[in-house]
Amino acid sequence: ANKEKVASLDKGTMVQMDVAVPVAEKPLLADTDLNHNKQALEKDADNLKMQENAAHQANLQQLCRICGVSFKTDRYKRSHPVHGPVDSETQGLLRKKEKRATSWPDLIAKVFKIDVRGDIDTIHPTRFCHNCWSIIHRKFSNAPCEVYFPRNSTMDWKSHSPNCTVCYTARRGVKRKNQPSNLQLGKRLKIIAERARKTKGVKKQVQVNNKNLMKKIANCKKIHLSPKLLAVDYPADFVKSISCQVCEHILADPVETTCSHLFCRTCILKCLKVMGSYCPSCRYPCFPTDLVSPVKSFLNILNSLAVRCPVKECDEEVLLGKYCHHLSSHKEVKRKEIYTHVNKGGRPRQHLLSLTRRAQKHRLRELKLQVKAFAEKEEGGDIKSVCLTLFLLALRARNEHRQADELEAIMQGKGSGLHPAVCLAIRVNTFLSCSQYHKMYRTVKAITGRQIFQPLHALRTAEKALLPGYHPFEWKPPLKNVSTNTEVGIIDGLSGLPHSVDDYPVDTIAKRFRYDAALVSALMDMEEDILEGMKAQDLDDYLNGPFTVVVKESCDGMGDVSEKHGSGPAVPEKAVRFSFTLMNISIAHGNENVRIFEEVKPNSELCCKPLCLMLADESDHETLTAILSPLIAERETMKSSVLLLEMGGILRTFKFIFRGTGYDEKLVREVEGLEASGSTYICTLCDATRLEASQNLVLHSITRSHAENLERYEVWRSNPYNESVDELRDRVKGVSAKPFIETVPSIDALHCDIGNAAEFYKIFQFEIGEVYKNPDISKEERKRWQSTLDKHLRKKMNLKPIMRMNGNFARKLMTKETVEAVCELIKCEERHEALRELMDLYLKMKPVWRSSCPAKECPELLCQYSFNSQRFAELLSTKFKYRYEGKITNYFHKTLAHVPEIIERDGSIGAWASEGNESGNKLFRRF
């Protein structure tokens, strides 16, 4: 019969009784009883496991982490923590040895090659024994080690298991097999001491023989210095401490072994190779990889010792650290003496360089005649080239290549100094301030003795030729309200602004060029391109024009440009940059315009010329108009005038066409007097409202213009029909301020890309949350979906979450790979297909507005654009109806409705984007 616990139910209460039940007569228990039994047994098993783990952890705390010995059997009865800083005694020892390790994990890793940083306290002990502590001390001191530690006795710790050796040993109180007892250690040490005493006499004789053998192996008598050459009579012990233990010469390139003995590097390496891997002094195991440089303080003492020069007829005393340099001067003298002229009596013969010019001519007369004859026969009489080549070959033969390179540069007419313009380019490209550059210039000049870099005043002179205000020019007719003086460089952006008490306070710093002077400077930079373009079109380079120059204007605000240090003036921590790019130049020839220049990289910061920089907020309408109004006035008067500029020695005429396309939507609305981007009037190109645009996604045409906006502003201002605010607003289609900069109705490709990417980012979140099923969603749910999407994109696409959409994030987000990653978070297969198609259509449309010349770069996609945009619109109004019913984003509307019309008008959208100005913003921020 088995004794079992049988559970009986009595009025809903479980009572356990010990009952002896025969196997044959064992009653059948109900299912509920069995379940209760099972749970109780599982709970008991868990408790038992927890108790075993706790006991295992307690046992671990009684063992050494390194060797596994029990602290109970350790004769020192002391232990040390594995983690944390070293104790004061060890700290003092390390300080003496000039070692940097300050924590036990570093020292344990160094001595025992055990990494304890990843230890877990349920698996590994947290302390180590005094025995191992002594071994660490032995490693860093010269004291003899009194402890024994076998090479392979580091413990391999494992987590608790039924066959756990740690718990078994603790229960039985038995030592580990491979750990010798203290009694055994004592016996072993006594035997070693007895043997050492018996063999002491024999060892002395062996040591003498070994010394002689090692000296023969080192064979360094000719290269290392004898202690007898020391200039001062030092004590014998000190001399021994600075001598090599092998060759007994003064240490040369000293190295220290693990047992703290010093040797010359070459001597010890030869000995280790011939005699085996142990220290020649104490026979301690030693390998070439164990050799380290002695502490710096010892090397300083060694190098400061004075020695007598062993060269005959040289009694000079030099420091050991400078001995090699001193010896090299003897070698130079010896090399010269080989070619010394034998003087046959009379006064001593002087060196050639110490003679007067007349004496030099006399001595070299015969050689000069020979060189002259050779030059006339072989080189057409060019004596100078022959002599310089001889000198060059002599320098190369002696490996003096630096001097030879300089001579070669002089022969080629380059000279050793850099051109001021090159120095200026170096200063700008390496972002050096004037003081930093000047410091570098002085240092290089002091060290080399030559003026390789040019001084700052030379750079400023070179800079004048590159900045506006250097080239003379003339306008016909003269520009209205603009000075005829052409030598105008950087001017204050606030100049000419009337100041009075009632005026709006302008808290800003602004710097700008005069628009006409900046255009002239840009044209003169492109002089070679213009002349080469004329040659390429088979036009005579003496044609004087008129040339038509098309200028792209860009303006953008940037935030967070505060000083990170220093206390400058109190100005806004935002900036606005206005810049221009010369897009193309054509010349009237016969009855047609021939294009002679077109900017290949219209979105590069190199061709984007800054015109005005101001520390102001782009939303501050008053400051923006105050600073940019003079600039716009200059631009307006240049439209009706012709520039006369001398280029290639001929006076040529230039006309300008200005196209303001490099503005984001925020700034277009600001300068054209439109309501902000959240307005009912969704578009800056047409008069459509948000509702109209969502109902008719594709069929719209460009209707807005600068002139019409001015007229509408007058209507808004004067309200000639005495209408209500809503009626008047509907009449002027969202114009609510005076337009002050003329822009071309267009799309900024960069910001279009960013705006559309932000919208796709929202769509991904809504698809994850299945908003198409349940449109009523809370803010907390949206945040949760965004967090899920961010984590997944970071894991799959390496896209880090951002606060605000930027160009780089948009480029990485708008890919097929991203859609595939997002589909992993969406359950419905039908939504997968919708998302994939939407992204596929977008990626087919995107190159059309991003490329600089879509007709050349993607003609097929350009032809398919209308079809693709129609299908994209259908998807938005059907599959994604939950988001686009009665509403649409500004950039989706522009992308679907206006792209073909703009490309038909301008030939491109991407070339006229603000990307160059954005790149310039980065440079401005860096400077």
Side-chain angles (χ1 to χ4, degrees), residues 621-622 624-625 629 667-675 706-717 734-742:
H621 188 80
E622 286 76 12
L624 208 62
T625 50
S629 291
L667 210 62
V668 167
R669 289 176 177 275
E670 177 81 22
V671 301
E672 284 285 10
L674 302 173
E675 291 172 353
H706 182 67
E708 187 187 47
N709 288 342
L710 281 168
E711 288 170 12
R712 283 175 171 173
Y713 169 70
E714 284 303 315
V715 172
W716 172 262
R717 189 180 63 81
V735 176
S736 60
K738 186 177 181 180
F740 70 97
I741 298 180
E742 183 182 354

Side-chain angles (χ1 to χ4, degrees), residues 888-901:
I888 191 170
T889 63
N890 300 18
Y891 277 116
F892 263 1
H893 162 70
K894 289 179 180 180
T895 304
L896 297 171
H898 296 302
V899 168
E901 190 178 353

Side-chain angles (χ1 to χ4, degrees), residues 690-733:
R690 201 171 292 277
L691 183 64
E692 289 166 359
S694 67
Q695 290 166 348
N696 175 14
L697 288 165
V698 179
L699 302 170
H700 294 274
S701 60
I702 299 170
T703 55
R704 287 190 189 270
S705 68
H706 182 67
E708 187 187 47
N709 288 342
L710 281 168
E711 288 170 12
R712 283 175 171 173
Y713 169 70
E714 284 303 315
V715 172
W716 172 262
R717 189 180 63 81
S718 57
N719 191 8
Y721 307 108
N722 297 319
E723 293 166 309
S724 66
V725 173
D726 291 334
E727 289 170 336
L728 186 60
R729 186 164 170 254
D730 186 51
R731 181 180 290 277
V732 297
K733 305 296 180 189

